[in-house]
Amino acid sequence: MRKIAHTLAMVFMVLGVIGSIALARANGITIDYESYRGITGERSIFLTVVWFAVGIFGTAVGTVILFALSEILENQEMLYRRISAVEETVEQMQKEQKN
């Protein structure tokens, strides 16, 4: 489960960056209407950077959450292994005391 969360975080990060670029490209244009030239679109650097930053921020938050979940699951697996080892030791000691 830990590896799945780690892989999912990596995929989310890559797709988030690609999506942020697409979002900035699509929404970074200001559209004006002029009576002589008609509808014109012009790239607004400010809007492009803002849309890209918003997309990257959202991607970063999601990726950090998934990486944190991966770490939590790894720690949980480690604790489970240690608890199982202690339980086995206790069971062996109880069997030895009965004999």
Side-chain angles (χ1 to χ4, degrees):
M1 190 67 170
R2 175 186 62 88
K3 290 182 180 182
I4 293 172
H6 186 76
T7 304
L8 187 60
M10 295 297 287
V11 169
F12 186 80
M13 182 174 57
V14 170
L15 291 178
V17 169
I18 293 170
S20 297
I21 292 170
L23 185 68
R25 184 171 187 253
N27 293 327
I29 297 175
T30 55
I31 298 176
D32 294 327
Y33 177 76
E34 297 176 5
S35 60
Y36 179 69
R37 293 179 10 196
I39 297 175
T40 59
E42 188 175 290
R43 171 80 45 205
S44 170
I45 300 299
F46 175 74
L47 279 178
T48 302
V49 170
V50 167
W51 278 105
F52 183 72
V54 167
I56 290 295
F57 180 74
T59 299
V61 169
T63 302
V64 166
I65 289 171
L66 288 172
F67 276 127
L69 178 65
S70 173
E71 288 293 320
I72 289 169
L73 290 173
E74 181 180 358
N75 290 338
Q76 196 174 27
E77 287 175 7
M78 182 182 60
L79 288 173
Y80 180 74
R81 278 185 263 131
R82 286 184 180 176
I83 289 172
S84 296
V86 169
E87 284 179 347
E88 289 176 8
T89 305
V90 168
E91 287 175 2
Q92 288 176 356
M93 290 175 68
Q94 287 176 347
K95 286 180 184 177
E96 289 174 1
Q97 285 179 355
K98 287 182 181 178
N99 294 331

